[in-house]
Amino acid sequence: MFKFLFDSDTWQEIYGGIRKNKTRTIITIIGVLWGIFLLVVLLGAARGMENNFKNIFGDFATNSVFIWAQRTEKPFKGFQKGRSIRLTTKDIDILKREFKEIKYLAPRSQANSTIINGIKSGDFNISGDYPVLDKVQKKDLIYGRFINDNDILGKSKVIVIDEEMYKQLFEKDEYPIGQYIISNNINYKVIGVYKKGNINFGDDAYIPFTTFQQVYNRGNQISWMMVTAQEGVDINQFENDLKLTLKNLHKVDPEDNRAFGSFNMGTEIGKITGFLTGMQFLTWFVGIATLIAGVFAIGNILLITVKERTKEIGIRRAIGATPREIRQQVVLESVFLTTIAGMLGIVFGGFVLFLIDYFLGSGPDPTLLNPTVNIPIILIAFFLLMILGTLIGLIPAFMATMVKPIEALRDE
């Protein structure tokens, strides 16, 4: 087999057959090329969508639920509908005790304030938070650190500001850590500067939760909470159980769906993940179907070629060529065409992904981020193409071995 593979006469005959049918060969190669090109581009685009999704939600604990209090829509146990509900730190303690499924629980308070640094000032949202927030939503710190437990215990007058706030209140390249800014006539020491992620809740600056409650006279009331479940927890049931417990604590009708608002990030991410999985399945289906169609086109072309070369095959058989040699040549031609088409398809596909990344993957708001295809997947697709090319080549190869020298010469 290897001797036959490196025989110059074999390749001369293959080249001669391709040269006689240039147009037909080019059309055949384009059919297979398009199949693997489409597979590469679609897989790369799907990966770009997945990367962009991870970039948007990457700093969040994805199995999280956000809960806030609203007004009741039903009367219950002597209370009229329309009653305003307030979440408290007592609710937080009870939820931590009752739910072993909780991994992180971050109570939050928020207010708007004018912040001043010398002659510069601006209106910003200040949030009172615990250090656990950095675990639920990881902060991309540029300078300094985030709030720690000592800040909470000491009710420290410290603040972590975002990058835009830093640019508005400080001079360019001025080092902010250790400097003081003023909010509500109180001096806060800047301990950190962070870069906002793709998802935020209107937060511009963070101070210790205990400091916030004291400065803004919130007592034990909180604005809302972020709850992250342990891995493997049914996030939808978890959300329902949390809200039902809060309804019991605040004497709200269990069927009242307005008293507590919530946003289930796990559910929303699950929808996007399901879409991406479906997209990848569709990509493989379309790509492989197109590959198979292209390979079948090669088989049809070779069948026509065998018929056109009946006299040539008959002469080769008459001068001693064995059926195996005839079969090997036809199969080799099939594999050669699929290999050339596959390599060109991969190259063109990679070039198109480069263009997609250049035009759609850059900037502050990319559409497809780093649309690439893993090399093992490319190799699997390429070898699958070669296997299909070999199998489809067996059909015309078998037909070629059926040609009898005398009948072939008589037909011509």
Side-chain angles (χ1 to χ4, degrees):
M1 175 63 184
F2 289 103
K3 181 180 179 181
F4 178 82
L5 183 63
F6 294 103
D7 189 352
S8 60
D9 292 337
T10 300
W11 290 103
Q12 287 179 0
E13 291 176 5
I14 291 175
Y15 173 72
I18 293 175
R19 187 179 58 181
K20 291 178 183 177
N21 302 281
K22 292 180 181 178
T23 302
R24 190 183 300 159
T25 301
I26 291 174
I27 294 174
T28 302
I29 289 177
I30 290 175
V32 179
L33 181 154
W34 175 252
I36 197 163
F37 167 83
L38 192 64
L39 180 65
V40 170
V41 172
L42 288 178
L43 284 175
R47 173 60 65 84
M49 292 177 63
E50 182 179 356
N51 290 338
N52 193 37
F53 161 72
K54 290 179 178 179
N55 179 57
I56 293 173
F57 294 97
D59 57 352
F60 259 100
T62 55
N63 54 334
S64 297
V65 177
F66 311 101
I67 300 177
W68 58 92
Q70 302 179 141
R71 291 181 179 273
T72 60
E73 67 173 352
K74 294 182 179 182
F76 187 68
K77 292 186 177 180
F79 292 99
Q80 297 296 319
K81 71 175 184 178
R83 177 166 54 99
S84 180
I85 306 296
R86 293 286 183 266
L87 291 172
T88 67
T89 53
K90 182 180 177 181
D91 298 329
I92 302 300
D93 295 334
I94 293 174
L95 291 180
K96 286 181 178 179
R97 184 171 65 248
E98 295 293 328
F99 288 89
K100 303 302 181 185
E101 303 96 327
I102 292 177
K103 185 176 183 180
Y104 304 121
L105 199 161
R108 309 199 63 198
S109 292
Q110 193 175 71
N112 184 266
S113 176
T114 298
I115 298 181
I116 303 169
N117 181 28
I119 61 173
K120 297 184 177 183
S121 65
D123 290 330
F124 303 97
N125 289 323
I126 295 183
S127 298
D129 285 289
Y130 282 94
V132 70
L133 180 68
D134 192 42
K135 296 180 179 179
V136 178
Q137 184 186 13
K138 187 65 179 176
K139 302 303 174 189
D140 184 8
L141 289 168
I142 302 173
Y143 299 111
R145 63 173 177 85
F146 194 64
I147 296 164
N148 61 29
D149 292 331
N150 290 331
D151 299 327
I152 297 294
L153 293 174
K155 298 181 182 179
S156 304
K157 304 299 189 297
V158 295
I159 189 169
V160 179
I161 63 176
D162 83 327
E163 184 180 21
E164 295 304 316
M165 187 173 171
Y166 160 71
K167 291 178 180 178
Q168 187 170 337
L169 297 178
F170 291 87
E171 298 295 334
K172 184 179 180 181
D173 297 328
E174 183 179 2
Y175 189 66
I177 305 303
Q179 299 199 43
Y180 288 86
I181 56 180
I182 301 172
S183 173
N184 293 330
N185 296 318
I186 297 175
N187 289 313
Y188 289 91
K189 182 180 179 180
V190 178
I191 61 170
V193 178
Y194 73 99
K195 184 176 182 180
K196 278 188 177 179
N198 293 288
I199 296 180
N200 62 80
F201 298 94
D203 307 323
D204 297 317
Y206 301 98
I207 64 176
F209 182 84
T210 50
T211 305
F212 185 99
Q213 299 299 94
Q214 184 181 62
V215 169
Y216 290 92
N217 196 26
R218 291 293 181 89
N220 69 340
Q221 292 185 1
I222 65 174
S223 300
W224 52 295
M225 67 178 75
M226 300 171 65
V227 190
T228 301
Q230 300 282 355
E231 297 296 329
V233 173
D234 184 338
I235 196 66
N236 293 316
Q237 186 60 48
F238 181 64
E239 176 189 10
N240 293 332
D241 292 342
L242 287 172
K243 291 171 71 174
L244 182 59
T245 300
L246 289 172
K247 289 175 184 179
N248 291 333
L249 291 174
H250 291 270
K251 296 181 173 57
V252 175
D253 190 320
E255 301 300 322
D256 192 329
N257 295 320
R258 187 179 295 177
F260 293 98
S262 63
F263 174 77
N264 193 322
M265 180 168 284
T267 299
E268 298 305 316
I269 291 178
K271 292 178 183 178
I272 299 175
T273 303
F275 169 77
L276 292 175
T277 301
M279 185 75 178
Q280 290 177 345
F281 173 79
L282 181 63
T283 296
W284 277 106
F285 178 79
V286 172
I288 291 177
T290 309
L291 276 181
I292 293 174
V295 171
F296 270 106
I298 287 181
N300 291 331
I301 293 298
L302 289 177
L303 282 173
I304 297 173
T305 302
V306 166
K307 186 175 182 180
E308 291 177 347
R309 294 165 62 186
T310 301
K311 182 177 180 180
E312 175 190 333
I313 294 173
I315 292 174
R316 291 187 61 198
R317 291 291 306 277
I319 60 177
T322 65
R324 181 181 179 183
E325 291 174 342
I326 300 295
R327 186 167 56 248
Q328 286 178 339
Q329 179 179 337
V330 176
V331 171
L332 186 59
E333 186 172 341
S334 174
V335 173
F336 175 73
L337 290 176
T338 54
T339 300
I340 294 297
M343 293 175 65
L344 290 174
I346 291 171
V347 171
F348 289 144
F351 179 70
V352 169
L353 289 180
F354 171 79
L355 294 178
I356 291 174
D357 184 52
Y358 182 80
F359 289 105
L360 300 178
S362 57
D365 189 22
T367 304
L368 298 175
L369 185 62
N370 191 24
T372 57
V373 184
N374 291 336
I375 292 180
I377 293 179
I378 292 293
L379 293 177
I380 290 173
F382 185 71
F383 283 118
L384 176 63
L385 183 64
M386 293 186 64
I387 291 172
L388 290 174
T390 303
L391 294 176
I392 204 68
L394 291 175
I395 299 176
F398 176 76
M399 298 298 295
T401 59
M402 297 296 291
V403 175
K404 293 181 171 50
I406 296 178
E407 293 179 0
L409 294 173
R410 184 172 60 244
D411 290 342
E412 291 295 327

